[in-house]
């Protein structure tokens, strides 16, 4: 079984500052890792995913994440945030060989202030 | 191309009633998954269907059921509604069986309120 822990429920940051949203996972098997973003009153949009290969993954809207197997982490980063990045961010895991259902963390609300 | 569509967008029901939620996947996608997102929480997996067969089920009571039609659209049914069923219900589609590498694309969700 897999589980995901998002360490911060809320992250306030000023516009143009860097941000890191933390995600740790637990699994007895190898995993695929994902970050999704949810804007108010909308569904989830895929930001990026780690399947295999390079541990640094680049996604849409300038976001990137690094897979660290020894620390079982998959933190999301952006060097300079915009007001439009204000949203809720979800880290998710899927076990390799599983039926593909995603296990989500509880989410981190990113608030970008002017 | 149209994304995943869900209907209705909002729904209000009373305790004990039955509800049916509908989902149309992206054209060419054969897998549909359903998730429940309670306010303040991440989505929780309910069901996955691939080629009209149930391929996965989360930890939900038998009051929850689903099916997939020959055109790959899907319905989620919930019987004997409880207050705790109030949530955003998300549908996601993927091209194949959704095993890991298959990206799941989410619809906008149906907001269910049980009074």
């Amino acid at each position: 079984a897999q589980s995901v822990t998002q360490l911060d429920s809320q992250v306030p940051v000023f516009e143009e500052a860097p941000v890191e949203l933390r995600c740790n996972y637990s699994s007895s098997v190898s995993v695929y890792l994902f970050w999704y973003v949810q804007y108010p009153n909308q569904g989830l949009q895929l930001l990026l995913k780690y399947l295999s290969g390079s541990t640094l993954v680049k996604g849409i809207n300038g976001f990137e994440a690094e897979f660290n197997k020894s620390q079982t982490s998959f933190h999301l980063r952006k060097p300079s945030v915009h007001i439009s990045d204000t949203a809720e961010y979800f880290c998710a895991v899927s076990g390799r060989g599983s039926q593909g259902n995603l296990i989500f963390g509880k989410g981190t609300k990113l608030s970008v202030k002017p | 191309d149209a994304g995943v569509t869900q209907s209705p967008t909002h729904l209000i029901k009373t305790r004990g009633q039955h509800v049916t939620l509908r989902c149309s996947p992206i054209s060419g996608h054969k897998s549909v998954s359903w998730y429940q997102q309670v306010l303040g929480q991440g989505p929780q997996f309910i069901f996955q269907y691939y080629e009209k067969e149930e391929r996965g089920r989360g930890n939900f009571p038998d009051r929850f059921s689903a099916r997939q039609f020959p055109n790959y659209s899907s319905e989620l049914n919930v019987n004997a509604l409880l207050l705790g069923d109030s949530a955003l219900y998300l549908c996601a589609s993927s091209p194949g069986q959704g095993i890991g590498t298959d990206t799941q694309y989410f619809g906008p969700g149906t907001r269910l309120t049980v009074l």
Side-chain angles (χ1 to χ4, degrees):
Chain A
Q2 294 83 40
S3 66
V4 176
T5 302
Q6 291 186 243
L7 297 161
D8 306 295
S9 59
Q10 297 188 55
V11 173
V13 64
F14 286 106
E15 194 174 18
E16 297 184 7
V19 70
E20 178 179 81
L21 307 183
R22 297 180 293 169
C23 171
N24 285 88
Y25 69 92
S26 173
S27 177
S28 56
V29 299
S30 296
V31 297
Y32 302 116
L33 293 156
F34 306 82
W35 276 98
Y36 282 86
V37 60
Q38 186 174 37
Y39 298 102
N41 300 313
Q42 293 188 27
L44 300 171
Q45 181 182 6
L46 180 68
L47 277 177
L48 49 80
K49 59 185 177 182
Y50 171 77
L51 303 179
S52 65
S54 173
T55 57
L56 183 62
V57 180
K58 293 189 183 297
I60 63 171
N61 300 341
F63 284 94
E64 64 180 32
E66 186 153 21
F67 170 58
N68 187 319
K69 188 175 181 180
S70 63
Q71 297 187 4
T72 60
S73 68
F74 191 55
H75 301 333
L76 181 70
R77 301 185 183 99
K78 186 170 183 178
S80 175
V81 295
H82 303 289
I83 298 288
S84 59
D85 292 323
T86 295
E88 189 149 24
Y89 292 78
F90 292 94
C91 182
V93 64
S94 176
R96 291 177 187 242
S98 74
Q99 288 303 313
N101 54 284
L102 295 167
I103 308 298
F104 285 88
K106 291 187 176 182
T108 297
K109 288 184 181 176
L110 175 65
S111 298
V112 181
K113 304 173 187 298
Chain B
D1 285 340
V4 177
T5 58
Q6 293 185 244
S7 62
T9 54
H10 295 86
L11 203 51
I12 298 176
K13 292 285 190 179
T14 56
R15 280 177 297 175
Q17 284 190 311
H18 162 90
V19 69
T20 298
L21 310 181
R22 295 177 175 83
C23 171
S24 291
I26 292 171
S27 177
H29 286 195
K30 298 182 178 180
S31 176
V32 169
S33 297
W34 288 95
Y35 292 82
Q36 180 196 64
Q37 186 179 16
V38 173
L39 198 62
Q41 301 290 320
Q44 272 199 291
F45 173 71
I46 311 175
F47 285 110
Q48 187 201 17
Y49 277 77
Y50 175 72
E51 289 283 15
K52 302 178 287 294
E53 290 188 5
E54 181 183 303
R55 296 302 180 100
R57 173 186 284 253
N59 188 23
F60 280 81
D62 291 343
R63 299 185 295 108
F64 288 77
S65 64
R67 55 180 176 168
Q68 187 177 33
F69 298 99
N71 66 354
Y72 303 109
S73 66
S74 178
E75 282 183 355
L76 176 70
N77 295 285
V78 187
N79 292 325
L81 285 167
L82 303 174
L83 295 179
D85 296 330
S86 296
L88 180 68
Y89 288 84
L90 295 165
C91 173
S93 77
S94 57
Q97 292 191 53
I99 298 178
T101 56
D102 241 358
T103 298
Q104 294 192 29
Y105 296 87
F106 284 80
T110 292
R111 173 75 62 188
L112 173 64
T113 301
V114 182
L115 302 176

